[in-house]
Amino acid sequence: MKDKYIIMADGKSPHTLKWVSELCKYFNLYLITLNGYDRQLLAYMDEEQIYVVNESVNGSGGNFKLLLKYFEIKKIVESIAPKYINAHYISSYGVLAALVKKAYPDIKLIQSAWGTDILVTPFENIIKKMITKFALMNADLITSDSYYMSDKIIEISANDKIDTFAFGLESFDLDEEIQKDEFLIFSNRMLSRNYNIDKIILWFSQLEDKRYKLVIAHDGEMKEELQQMVRSLNLQSRISFIGYITAQEQESNYRKAKYYISIPSSDATSVSLLEAMRYGCYPIVSNLPANREWIIDECNGSFFTEGMALPKVEQSVININKTIINKKAIFSKSIKNYISRLEK
């Protein structure tokens, strides 16, 4: 008989789907989500095991109204009587899960940090920091996707029961042949302030070789502003906005792009960086602590600077990055190790 395991997370997130697809091998899974769910989840769990508690979640924090959902969630947890609760995203689901833990102390609570919930939100004001600390201090185990973020978790809460591993990828054939467009640059981060897409566009406009093309995926509050910027620079023929794309469309762009660019002001280990490395893109990224865990400047990628030229990419770089991913970022291996730690 498998132990009962509740995931509290965004049911529409591909990260949640990834966790569910692996954890279902080890547990009898249940999902509590605040904003619906992707029906792909039904390949791994029954619909009766998915509980939708309707409420919108603000990714930047300030989710105080979610506390009104506590009693509804507590009742669901009581009916399931799980051994484990695993909350994803500390400043929303994590706070609710910590309150449930207070009511049912025998349940093992795992808090999974995603990035801004640790690196940004707690440092916006003292109340958010106190709430984050409360969520972390009540965890029996915390998962983090970078050692830099793990250090921040300890700084905030003094809880050092942390398992650090990347939100990694599926296994793949290292000898796989991928055909590249030598002049294609791919960006797939949100069109919001933190991700500095405007700086990418300005840098791109200054490249001397006009054969280069930039494909910008995703959406966000800066979309119209960025599109206007492209028009003002007369770059419509070389910069494409393709909006939200499916996993298959994203893979297609990784396969074609010679370069991948992501320059957020703050970030933990980005799954999109790992995906780009896996598909042989040359990464151009922010010089952030989490990125330094994967990239050595001008060796297997470059740290972005204004006015930089695009480096020439050797096949050896592509092979190095594939080897790194295969060794450090295969999610099934990480989850197997995580389960072993839970059992201890």
Side-chain angles (χ1 to χ4, degrees), residues 114-137:
W114 281 27
T116 55
D117 52 345
I118 294 297
L119 302 178
V120 177
T121 301
F123 301 99
E124 291 177 341
N125 60 57
I126 189 63
I127 294 175
K128 290 182 180 180
K129 190 167 189 176
M130 290 173 61
I131 289 172
T132 304
K133 181 178 180 179
F134 166 77
L136 294 171
M137 287 181 64

Side-chain angles (χ1 to χ4, degrees), residues 8 32 34 53 64-78 95-104 134:
M8 292 177 59
I32 298 175
L34 294 167
V53 180
F64 300 110
K65 62 183 178 179
L66 295 184
L67 297 177
L68 300 175
K69 299 295 181 179
Y70 163 70
F71 293 102
E72 185 177 349
I73 291 171
K74 179 174 175 285
K75 187 175 181 180
I76 293 170
V77 172
E78 184 178 9
V95 175
L96 289 167
L99 290 170
V100 171
K101 168 74 173 179
K102 283 289 190 182
Y104 303 106
F134 166 77

Side-chain angles (χ1 to χ4, degrees), residues 11 33 60 78 89 99 106 128 130 150 162 173 185 198 232 236 243 266 271 281 316:
T33 176
S60 61
E78 184 178 9
Y89 210 82
L99 290 170
D106 290 339
K128 290 182 180 180
M130 290 173 61
S150 297
I162 303 172
D173 181 3
I185 307 165
D198 53 339
S232 68
Q236 302 96 308
S266 175
V271 173
C281 304
S316 59

Side-chain angles (χ1 to χ4, degrees), residues 212-225:
Y212 284 108
K213 297 163 288 183
L214 172 63
V215 172
I216 301 174
H218 224 308
D219 207 340
E221 71 270 12
M222 289 186 67
K223 182 177 181 178
E224 291 186 10
E225 179 182 336

